[in-house]
Amino acid sequence: MSETPKTEHVYDGIEEYDNPLPGWWKWLFIVSIIFCPFYWMFYHGGASGRSVEDIYNVALAENTRLQFAEIGELKLDEPTILRFMAKPSWLKVGESVFRSNCVSCHGRAGEGKVGPNLTDDEYKNVTHLADIASVINNGAGNGAMPKWSNRLVVNEIVLVAAYVATLRGTHAEGGRPPEGRAIAPWPDPIAEPELPPEDPPKNQLTESP
Ligand code: HEC
């Protein structure tokens, strides 16, 4: 014990052994220094698609693509919107599109802020159900309502249109006063019978590469 060299420091009679760092510790230190530039170049060297965020986004897009493969390319027309107004799980997707793109102007519940109230029976640019989709697709009010055709895919527009259509008549609290004119109620929803488990869309899914 006494063979271990001591440092020169003595404080109040307390001395300090001058033990070397353990070899394994030193090697770990050296190896991590050698490792770090490669790690840095790989993840932060500017190559795209390697950061955690990029990988997440790719996975998310892949997931949406798989989900959308189930419903195919939708049309921006009234029967399609009506069909999805009766599908609660797809309305949730429409709701999430609304949450991430529309609440800043239309409010969390659609009660209206810069944009008009979407929960009453009065509309400025909408007479028929399909007009909701075309307003979202093409914009309105000289761009006050932006067009979304270049930011959302058609399926997202159909689903968010179906969601917005279901907001009608919910009369969210603290909403903007009615604008435009009251329009005729939407047509009756088209409810589809549940498809059997071995329905074609499922097969399509498993066959896709
Ligand atoms: C930058 C603010 C803004 C954003 C973001 C926005 N809107 Fe709008 N929206 C407006 C304005 C303003 C109008 C009214 C246009 C007019 O005066 O004719 C409008 C009108 C509408 C209308 C027609 C309402 C009516 O009374 O005719 C619908 C439907 C609509 N928006 C849906 C959406 C959806 C869905 C989204 C998200 C994908 C969205 N908006 C995002 C501002 C916005």
Side-chain angles (χ1 to χ4, degrees), residues 15-60:
E15 292 169 284
E16 193 185 342
Y17 285 129
D18 192 10
N19 279 320
L21 285 162
W24 64 265
W25 194 99
K26 267 194 246 175
W27 278 110
L28 204 62
F29 183 61
I30 290 163
V31 167
S32 60
I33 288 176
I34 295 168
F35 175 74
C36 93
F38 294 102
Y39 178 93
W40 192 87
M41 280 190 304
F42 188 86
Y43 285 107
H44 305 279
S48 64
R50 284 178 184 164
S51 70
V52 174
E53 197 187 350
D54 287 347
I55 293 168
Y56 172 78
N57 284 335
V58 168
L60 199 68

Side-chain angles (χ1 to χ4, degrees), residues 64-65 67-76 80 84 90 93-94 97 137 152-162:
T64 314
R65 196 184 67 77
Q67 283 193 309
F68 279 176
E70 213 177 298
I71 50 176
E73 273 277 312
L74 299 177
K75 286 206 195 106
L76 285 180
T80 313
F84 281 92
W90 284 110
V93 179
V97 175
N137 199 45
L152 297 174
V153 302
V154 173
N155 284 6
E156 288 173 313
I157 294 180
V158 169
L159 295 174
V160 75

Side-chain angles (χ1 to χ4, degrees), residues 202-209:
K202 285 260 159 55
N203 295 340
Q204 228 177 40
L205 241 190
T206 47
E207 273 162 27
S208 68

Side-chain angles (χ1 to χ4, degrees), residues 97-98 100-106 114-118 120 122-126 131-133 135-136 139-146 148 151-152 157 160-161 164 179-180:
V97 175
F98 188 84
S100 28
N101 300 292
C102 321
V103 290
S104 54
C105 296
H106 290 284
V114 182
N117 192 332
L118 300 172
D120 55 17
E122 285 78 10
Y123 292 87
K124 288 168 93 175
N125 307 279
V126 177
D131 299 339
I132 293 192
V135 168
I136 299 169
N142 283 325
M145 162 68 189
W148 293 88
R151 277 183 275 182
L152 297 174
I157 294 180
V160 75
V164 165
E179 287 159 277

